[in-house]
């Protein structure tokens, strides 16, 4: 077994209120970095860069710590409140509406890497503004070129496309969902969209299709995986973030980024995100344990082999 | 190699006019039985039961014959015209509308099996009225219990649900698309829908999700396959029919119906239907050849393994 390398996660930390067609939650731990860091922590030592306010519940801090997440990069602004997001999923989970956003301390967030983080070999840039994602890359200064995964979301495609295009030339792995890939490339066929995205810069692209699995595009080939057959679907929030977090964590754990390792990372990400959707917040993701993740990974091997 | 057993296909034969957002065709060979029989013919000796009118073009007959299809069961009504269907796909292939239907000779079609067909061990019942599908089963009288695959479509779920439910208790393999599975079971989650359908009778259920692959439910387990990565998408008409035809033909060719064989049948069906959508009518399906199908099957193995 290789010695796991550390993984660095940069992104939002939030307090969420989520309503689904079936249930309602309030003041739960949210934010891309929360989901991604906990997912990554199952595989590799994980460092978190983000910002919270004075109201951030100690129980949420303890949750991170229970996963051994390095919180040196998590700033606390004692004068502010934590980023707050409230959203509601439409019937049959056909889209969601944001009911309330309070950016709070996240408004002026500029990620600053602690000195000891600057040589992290595996980095995930959550879907913050592309200019900030680029700013993080500028701070990386290890002796070895880091492997960089980036996520984005529709707002940045609409408002800061030029910065996003610049970012794409600097990263190794771009993880995006099907709707966003259409928005960014104009290609409705995800196979063509994936190829198009690779021409924009990253050597590897993953297009996530939710309950329909995901697609991996790499210079050495194409890979498609079905979703894990979830039957207890509670809340999709954070599924994509934990997917990306599991990918970077797995790659760091094996210290490899070749096509074979990327395929396995996609399978682990599929297993991990299938847990995330089985509860609100990080509850199921956090309580599942590595053994459950491994069991779902093996199940994925079994149900896709012929 | 086992000696291939014959497969019997019962269903509609039609002359189609199909419009897509990009192109238009007219008076092309259509009908579920045409797609299914040609697909099946790549794997096993294939028998066709259907009806055509005096206007049925000799070129279409020759097409069947070129695939070695046994046409003893194809009735010609010299006093009538062939079933005619004209449809138009909406933008982005989001659904389709029927523009014109002339049932013609199909209106009073009652499938009659030639004596020599009655012991066919592998039978596909295309999506004709459930009462007619049941009527075909009544005529099967071989020494060995035949393996029966059935397809259906939304009209029968709406109008003749009781007969359909009766049919489900008599068949071995039910092949249905995702929308129809929701309509029939009320289950939006295809994993739950598949389990529900199995409780309605058939030991094996396949739910087709188009560009998102398909799911196989069997007493011994669950199997999920991604779609073949089609980039030249022309017309989806007949994709589901050729999928089912390839399944029955493959199973007949290996003379097996166990879980492992069913998974392989689903993979071959995925390969075959990916060809169907690359042209109007059966053009690409018919010209592709077994070698291309086998190459796509191997490609599916490769792009889904990790």
């Amino acid at each position: 077994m290789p010695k796991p390398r550390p993984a660095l996660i940069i992104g939002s930390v939030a307090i969420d209120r989520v309503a689904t067609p079936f249930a309602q939650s309030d003041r739960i731990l949210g934010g891309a970095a929360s989901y991604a860091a906990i997912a990554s922590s199952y595989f590799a030592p994980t460092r978190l860069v983000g910002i919270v306010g004075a109201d951030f519940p100690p129980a949420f801090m303890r949750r991170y710590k229970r996963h051994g997440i390095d919180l040196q990069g998590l700033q606390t602004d004692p004068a502010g409140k934590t980023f707050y997001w409230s959203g509601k999923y439409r019937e049959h989970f056909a889209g969601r509406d944001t009911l309330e956003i309070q950016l709070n301390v996240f408004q002026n967030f500029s990620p600053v890497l602690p000195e000891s983080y600057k040589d992290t070999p595996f980095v995930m840039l959550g879907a913050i503004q592309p200019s900030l994602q680029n700013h993080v890359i500028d701070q990386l200064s290890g002796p070895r070129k880091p492997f960089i995964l980036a996520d984005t979301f529709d707002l940045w495609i609409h408002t800061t496309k030029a910065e996003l295009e610049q970012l794409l030339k600097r990263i190794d792995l771009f993880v995006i969902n099907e709707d966003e890939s259409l928005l960014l490339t104009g290609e409705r066929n995800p196979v063509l969209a994936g190829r198009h995205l690779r021409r924009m810069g990253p050597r590897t692209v993953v297009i996530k299709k939710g309950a329909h699995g995901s697609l991996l595009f790499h210079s050495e080939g194409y890979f498609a995986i079905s979703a894990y057959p979830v039957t207890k679907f509670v809340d999709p929030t954070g599924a994509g973030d934990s997917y990306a977090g599991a990918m970077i964590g797995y790659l760091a754990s094996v210290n490899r980024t070749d096509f074979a390792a990327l395929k396995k990372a996609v399978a682990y990400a599929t297993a991990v995100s299938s847990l995330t959707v089985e509860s609100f917040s990080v509850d199921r993701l956090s309580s599942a344990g590595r053994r459950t993740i491994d069991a779902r990974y093996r199940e994925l091997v079994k149900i896709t082999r012929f």
Side-chain angles (χ1 to χ4, degrees), chain A residues 47-255:
Chain A
R47 301 163 173 174
L48 175 56
V49 167
I51 189 165
V52 297
D55 61 337
F56 195 68
F60 293 177
M61 255 346 160
R62 285 197 298 274
R63 179 77 77 162
Y64 291 143
K65 285 179 185 154
R66 212 176 303 147
H67 285 273
I69 296 167
D70 179 336
L71 300 175
Q72 209 190 322
L74 182 63
Q75 308 165 42
T76 300
D77 179 345
K81 288 175 72 181
T82 305
F83 175 31
Y84 177 83
W85 177 78
S86 168
K88 184 175 180 166
Y89 287 88
R90 291 178 210 151
E91 208 186 356
H92 311 312
F93 293 96
R96 77 176 178 201
D97 300 299
T98 291
L99 302 181
E100 190 182 348
I101 276 198
Q102 299 170 15
L103 286 176
N104 297 332
V105 298
F106 196 57
Q107 181 138 34
N108 299 308
F109 175 56
S110 180
V112 176
L113 303 194
E115 204 52 43
S116 63
Y117 283 16
K118 292 186 175 173
D119 64 351
T120 313
F122 291 86
V123 179
M124 167 178 162
L125 305 171
I128 55 177
Q129 267 172 273
S131 60
L132 295 181
Q133 292 175 312
N134 276 307
H135 176 59
V136 169
I137 298 177
D138 294 336
Q139 297 173 61
L140 294 166
S141 60
R144 158 177 159 179
K145 196 183 167 307
F147 181 87
I148 301 173
L149 177 164
D151 189 6
T152 194
F153 82 120
D154 53 5
L155 178 65
W156 309 132
I157 299 172
H158 284 299
T159 62
T160 61
K161 200 169 174 183
E163 285 94 332
L164 179 59
E165 285 169 351
Q166 192 198 336
L167 175 79
L168 289 178
K169 295 190 188 2
R170 305 179 72 190
I171 64 170
D172 303 283
L173 168 56
F174 189 42
V175 178
I176 188 169
N177 74 36
E178 197 175 7
D179 287 348
E180 292 156 356
S181 75
L182 164 61
L183 195 62
L184 186 50
T185 67
E187 279 291 357
R188 199 163 286 271
N189 180 322
V191 181
L192 297 178
R195 292 183 191 167
H196 186 126
L197 290 169
R198 283 195 66 243
R199 287 195 296 272
M200 294 174 81
R203 187 172 187 209
T204 310
V205 168
V206 169
I207 296 182
K208 296 168 295 171
K209 305 196 296 171
H212 297 304
S214 41
L215 312 176
L216 171 70
F217 303 84
H218 183 268
S219 53
E220 281 171 41
Y222 168 83
F223 171 65
I225 191 167
S226 299
Y228 183 89
V230 170
T231 52
K232 189 202 165 207
F233 189 88
V234 174
D235 174 14
T237 309
D241 306 313
S242 55
Y243 184 106
M247 276 200 85
I248 203 73
Y250 173 77
L251 294 170
S253 77
V254 294
N255 194 19

